[in-house]
């Protein structure tokens, strides 16, 4: 049962906070919110193999940051949760075909996607950064001068790093993420450039000696819904605002990302 303590803690806190405030499903029809309340279930596309957002645990059940958020959404709506595990490429098509009511699956926002669907306020961090030991004095790009940094060859973080690194920075390029991590943890490289998801996979001991120094590229995650569904989107944003203000979203982030939420998520309220 210990494995489940973390994943259910945030949901339990949120359900307690919601107790006494949940209204019966009596709203007039505006969009798919009425369909969700009529069937008493919300169908949510979730990740199936993208830890720490969502993946199977040894007990063959889904767990992760997005799984917890999906459960909180169902509590806000007062309906049953039907999780639909999907590959990344199937998320938006399934939403457009109305096979799911929303997408909570590490979904980023870009101009092309904005033409197809609508997005909630930001709810999850996804960023590329430079990480290193807490006692290493690096506050900006200038602080990288003369330091050794491990990075994955051909990655976005490699591109972003080369844009800001001073000429004297020693950049070590590796073919796999495992080699990047190995170089950093062994001390061969004093810093590593990577996504926060890679750092979230560190052990507790490794995470304690690893700190975000510089954000290279910030691209938070959003909940996706179909166009012209203002009532459903408003419900989702109300829930997200609530869990930002009462600290539950931060608890969820600490559990799964081993770091507090950045301002790009916490201050993004609509």
């Amino acid at each position: 049962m210990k494995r489940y303590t973390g994943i259910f803690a945030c949901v339990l806190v949120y359900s307690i906070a919601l107790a006494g405030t949940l209204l019966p499903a009596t709203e007039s029809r505006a969009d798919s919110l009425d369909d969700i309340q009529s069937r008493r279930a919300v169908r949510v596309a979730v990740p199936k193999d993208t830890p720490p957002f969502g993946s199977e645990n040894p007990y063959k059940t889904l767990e992760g940051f997005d799984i917890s958020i999906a459960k909180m959404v169902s509590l806000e709506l007062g309906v049953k949760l039907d999780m639909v595990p999907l590959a990344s490429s199937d998320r938006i098509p399934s939403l457009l075909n109305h096979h799911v009511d929303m997408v909570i699956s590490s979904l980023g926002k870009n101009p092309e996607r904005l033409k197809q669907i609508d997005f909630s306020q930001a709810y999850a961090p996804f960023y590329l950064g430079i990480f290193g030991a807490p006692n290493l004095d690096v506050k900006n790009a200038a602080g990288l001068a003369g330091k050794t940094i491990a990075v994955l060859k051909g990655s976005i973080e490699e591109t972003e790093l080369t844009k800001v690194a001073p000429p004297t920075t020693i950049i070590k390029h590796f073919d796999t993420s495992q080699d990047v991590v190995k170089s950093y943890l062994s001390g061969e490289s004093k810093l590593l450039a990577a996504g926060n998801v890679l750092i979230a996979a560190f052990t507790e001991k490794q995470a304690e000696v690893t700190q975000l120094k510089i954000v290279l590229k910030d691209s938070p995650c959003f909940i996706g819904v179909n166009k012209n569904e203002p009532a459903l989107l408003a419900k989702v944003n109300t829930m997200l605002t609530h869990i930002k203000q009462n600290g539950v979203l931060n608890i969820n982030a600490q559990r799964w990302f081993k770091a507090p939420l950045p301002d790009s998520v916490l201050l993004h309220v609509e």
Side-chain angles (χ1 to χ4, degrees), residues 24-97:
T26 58
E27 296 188 28
S28 60
R29 180 176 180 82
D31 54 19
S32 64
L33 178 61
D34 188 73
D35 294 331
I36 291 169
Q37 293 176 329
S38 294
R39 83 172 88 96
R40 306 299 300 173
V42 59
R43 303 164 303 178
V44 180
V46 296
K48 59 180 180 178
D49 52 11
T50 312
F53 290 99
S55 59
E56 278 193 352
N57 60 29
Y59 302 96
K60 302 300 181 183
T61 58
L62 288 171
E63 65 177 13
F65 185 91
D66 283 349
I67 306 305
S68 297
I69 299 300
K71 291 177 179 179
M72 293 181 207
V73 166
S74 71
L75 285 170
E76 177 71 27
L77 298 177
V79 298
K80 175 179 174 287
L81 172 62
D82 287 339
M83 290 191 292
V84 183
L86 294 174
S88 294
S89 60
D90 295 328
R91 296 172 301 180
I92 291 180
S94 293
L95 181 62
L96 294 174
N97 291 331

Side-chain angles (χ1 to χ4, degrees), residues 79 154 159 166 216 262 268:
V79 298
T159 301
L216 291 172
H268 193 279

Side-chain angles (χ1 to χ4, degrees), residues 150-171:
V151 67
L152 181 65
K153 191 184 300 181
S155 63
I156 298 176
E157 51 265 38
E158 181 187 52
T159 301
E160 296 299 321
L161 174 61
T162 55
K163 289 179 183 178
V164 301
T168 58
T169 306
I170 304 166
I171 302 177

Side-chain angles (χ1 to χ4, degrees), residues 228-268:
N228 302 314
E229 295 186 354
L232 178 59
L233 189 58
K235 275 282 191 181
V236 169
N237 279 330
T238 295
M239 187 276 293
L240 292 176
T241 298
H242 186 198
I243 62 176
K244 287 178 184 181
Q245 292 174 345
N246 66 16
V248 170
L249 192 61
N250 235 330
I251 294 172
N252 205 32
Q254 293 280 7
R255 166 70 176 93
W256 295 106
F257 298 113
K258 301 182 179 71
L261 289 169
D263 286 346
S264 60
V265 173
L266 283 177
L267 301 182
H268 193 279

